Amino acid sequence: MTGRDPIIVVRDLHVYFYTHAGIVRAVDGISFTVYRGETFCLVGETGCGKSVTAKALARIVPPPGKIVKGEIIFYPEPGKPIDVTKLGEKELERIRGRLIAYVFQDPSAALDPLYTVGYQLAETVKHHGIVKSFKEGFQLAAKLFRKVLMPDADERVKAYPHELSGGMKQRSVIAISLSTEPKLLIADEPTTALDVTVQAQVMDVLKRLKEEKNLTLILITHNMGLVAEMCDRVAVMYAGKIVEEAPVDELFKQPLHPYTKMLLQAVPDPSRRVERLESIPGSVPNPLNLPPGCRFHPRCPHALKRCREEEPPEVYVSPSHRVVCWLYAGGRRG
Amino acid sequence: METLRDKVYEKNILDRLADMLVDGIASVIEKFRPGWRARNEAKLDEYRLMLYTLNRSPPGLIGLMLIIGFVFTAVFGPLIAPLSYDTPLVFCNYEKAYLAAPGTTIVVPQDCNSCSTVEECLELGIPPGKYTLVFGADDYGRDLYSRLLYGARTSFIVTVLTMAVGPLIGILLGLVAGYYGGIVDEIIMRITDIFLAFPGLILAIAFSAVLPYRISDILQENVVLRDFLLWLFAVKPEHAPSLAYLVSVVIALWIVWWPGYARLVRGAVLSAREATFVEAARALGVPVRRILFKHILPQPTVSGPLIAYLTTDMGTVILVEAGLSFLGVGAVPPLADWGRMIYDGARYFPNAWWLVFYPGLAIFLTTLGFYLFGDTLRDILDPKTRRRIRFKVKRGVAV
Amino acid sequence: MADLKKFLVRRLITFIPTLIGATFLVFLVAVVVPADPARLWAGGEKADPRVVELLRKEYHLDEPIWVQYYYFMVNLITNRMVSPVTHENVWSTILERLPVTLQLALFSFTLVVAVGVPLGIIAALKRDTIVDYLIRAFAAIGMSMPIFWFAYILIFVFYTNLGWTTLAGNPTPAKTITGLPILDAILLGDWRTVCQIVERFWLPSLVLAWPSIGFVARLVRNSFLDAMSADFVEYIIARGLPKTTLYKHVLRNALVPVVTVLGLIFGGLLAGAPITETIFALPGIGMLMIQSIQNYDYLTLIGGVFFIGLIYLTINLVVDILYAIIDPRIRY
């Protein structure tokens, strides 16, 4: 995949939470690259560190979380790298929202209940200098609300969050986040809090806008169906580490890591009748007390003695497909 | 056993004391009920966290110490007081004892003018001895220090009696209103609104002003109750008629003290009622009383603010009781009451400043203790806040 | 806005039963008064039996309780309640005293809001710094200080030593327009009276406001911090909005719970009026109540209690309306 233009490069990122019960290594040394214009997915179970990774990209990890190590190189334009981990608050404010935008899981919580959604969009665009006045901001809001297929867009601009349904709220959040024309949109489980029927509509809006605006999208999800539908490349996370990364077709056709395989087996396939849906045995390890060696070994059906003792190496089975597992250690090392 | 926390974090002396306290109590229970400790390890860790939170709050620790000091004074004060609350040293030596400044020493019977022998002094109600009036004396030559100790008892008993009943009424009504909703809720809350239509102290003033007439009749008829109250308040039998005023204050405070709790508990129940586990309990046919007392009330979102509020309110009761006495509708002389002492001493202010200053300081410190501790208790009892406490990372532990 | 109208109507309707209930509660005070108030009013043990009899008739004390409540209500509404002790019309006495209490409470209320809210905000912004600790300590100390004690200390400093205030008189301008002396004086341009009023009232207002300042500062700080941990804050930061915008959102959210307790705070000020007025010899309703107690003038006492309840209920009504305006989520 050389020759492609990276938008964000994460190297050896560590994010730790210093909690009352001990240190939680939420993200423990992950590296990945996202290329301009693609949709990159981070998949994994709840608590695997995917949301923390997403928040680390614009440095909005809440305390007691801290980025303790690693670099995040962001290229707003090709060939102009910025190390996000080294920026001050002022410089970060210029990147957040303007260049890297977020859509969070729960739209009800993301919006301030005391202001209309139109106002919240207007203040964002006004601050980032997209428009000159609040009046223009509101006009832009109405325009963008139509773009996200909000019914009665002109009226909805004046609505308070509690007057909107979940789907409409998330649409307005998408409108707000895209109002500044960012380069990179990070959508953290954008449909999890919504009704199933609304989920598809919201994802359609997101997909259409992504194409239209030539956005780069990082999608965080645990929904493999969504991955298949939306993504170009996928990284699978387990207990704070990336265990496998591949283009989406390759991952679905030829999953390598035992965890990826199990994750895919746990997805219902409507084209086949199955008696029983596979579930992954065991549970996510206690983040305070991670098992030694490979973190997945207590749940892994193929675990070797080595897996219990030594951390597995990163293996590139092809230039675009890497897996972190002892089973493939015979191949080329990364 | 060394926990994960112990491995990565540094602990201060207080934290280690907290660990010892929790472990000590746990091992005592373990002796009687083997296996208890293993079953309750998670709960024990919560208690440890609570104590760590307290350790990280200097105001909370100060508050706790002030409360302990107050309770100690209230319980033992009357026993260690050098003189009784009504010993009038002026009978013995007017010049020396009248508004005696702090530090004055009077020796009975040597310093006496009116009584020359021990017997004569005893007859006047003054036991012989050497008295250093550390906080001075009032216009009857009564030792302010002794009166302050007795005053702690008065304050404490009024507070305990008030808080034992008033909030209870409110909590029960709030539980019922919040749980049943509908017409029951409507009626209870309308009544609550009516009581809340008056600022509490105003209604309390009115009731404490008119109640004593009825109460003194009741006390006269009910000798056992009267003697019990005499003992509780550490009051001499000859001052029994004054009791009616203290009891009136307590009853007046009952009347005005419940509506706040009814509202607080109702609100908490309304949100707890929607919780899935309550619905599940209802679906299983768990009796209402059990749901209310075993499922809803013990919830941290319900009990936490409630306990914190109860603690803070102890301070408010002390303040209000003193205020009522200051206005002349509470305790009457010669009973020792901090608020009344300020009222009586104000006449001699600022010359005999100690008569106003020290009782006020006593009220202030006691109330402060309850406020500070109550405030910290809110953090301690909130599972979220107590998880936010910070430790120092041990040296040598990965960044 | 239609919702707001519906809310207002509903709120006004619940106002009436509360008001009726309040009269009943006040009547309850009248019922538990001494077994034989007539004898007390007539002069105690040695009272002339004929006078006692006359008083009983006049105040319907021989009749059943509900008849007493009826006459009590009728007299209250038609303004015919006359005190057996002072022989003055109860309502007129109270109305005469009203401006002093109202003026005192309004001065204090202004102080509470003008000092308490900024202190709370500063404490929250400077969380866990020395400034925060000092403000919190100030709040805790203010709330736990008995004002009748604090008042004497302040009198000692500002009156006895510095002479910055007066403790007698009740300055009023020559003409009455609104009934509130300070407002009338300003309207009339009578600056000398304005100065006199401020000189007379600043210390009692400060004393009365003192505990509430601490209360409000603590409340504002805590609700500001609560709002800071709300989820919308994360989204505001993620949008790259500046600190000023963030604080604007947080402050508005933080002030919602503060508005709900404004009524409570005003109630606290009214409740403190008897103590403050007594200490500073201000002839307001609070002082009237205390004097009535000393004179066994229970009807005036009850009148005072009822009147304060009336003011408090009205204030709460206004606060509820304010709350509905500030928080669009309010739906009844």
Side-chain angles (χ1 to χ4, degrees), chain A residues 55 60 93 96-97 102 104 109-115 119-120 123-124 127-128 160 162-163 173 176-177, chain C residues 230-243 245 248-250 252-253 256 326-329 331:
Chain A
K55 282 177 185 161
I60 54 169
E93 266 173 31
R96 291 181 191 142
Y102 282 87
F104 291 119
L111 295 164
D112 183 341
L114 302 185
Y115 289 87
Y119 180 90
Q120 298 186 47
E123 76 179 349
T124 312
H127 171 70
H128 286 295
Y160 288 96
H162 73 268
E163 294 167 336
V173 167
I176 292 170
S177 290
Chain C
D231 286 331
F232 70 80
V233 169
E234 185 177 46
Y235 189 46
I236 287 176
I237 295 171
R239 274 184 282 160
L241 296 175
K243 280 257 151 65
T245 312
K248 188 184 75 183
H249 282 267
V250 169
R252 177 138 180 221
N253 276 273
V256 171
I326 198 175
D327 189 344
R329 285 167 299 186
R331 291 287 176 275

Side-chain angles (χ1 to χ4, degrees), chain A residues 16-25 63-64 68-69 286 288-289, chain B residues 4-5 8-9 45-46 49 386-391 393 397-399:
Chain A
Y16 290 180
F17 283 74
Y18 295 84
T19 72
H20 66 97
I23 300 168
V24 173
R25 298 188 192 130
V68 291
K69 208 174 143 194
N286 179 358
L288 288 166
N289 199 4
Chain B
L4 262 167
R5 182 163 41 225
V8 290
Y9 292 134
D45 199 52
E46 290 299 319
L49 273 182
R386 70 169 171 254
R387 273 172 176 66
R388 248 184 262 144
I389 53 167
R390 298 289 170 82
F391 295 90
V393 181
V397 172
V399 243

Side-chain angles (χ1 to χ4, degrees), chain A residues 38-40 184-187 206 210 215-219 230:
Chain A
E38 72 172 347
T39 301
F40 181 80
L184 174 65
L185 181 70
I186 300 169
L206 211 54
K210 195 221 148 218
L215 264 176
T216 311
L217 179 64
I218 297 181
L219 182 65
M230 297 282 295

Side-chain angles (χ1 to χ4, degrees), chain B residues 285-326:
Chain B
V286 177
V288 172
R289 212 175 38 168
R290 212 182 143 74
I291 293 180
L292 285 179
F293 290 101
K294 288 270 168 182
H295 296 276
I296 292 184
L297 201 56
Q299 277 306 300
T301 49
V302 181
S303 64
L306 189 63
I307 293 171
Y309 190 42
L310 276 166
T311 311
T312 321
D313 239 13
M314 293 257 186
T316 314
V317 172
I318 287 170
L319 214 51
V320 166
E321 188 267 334
L324 289 175
S325 301
F326 175 81

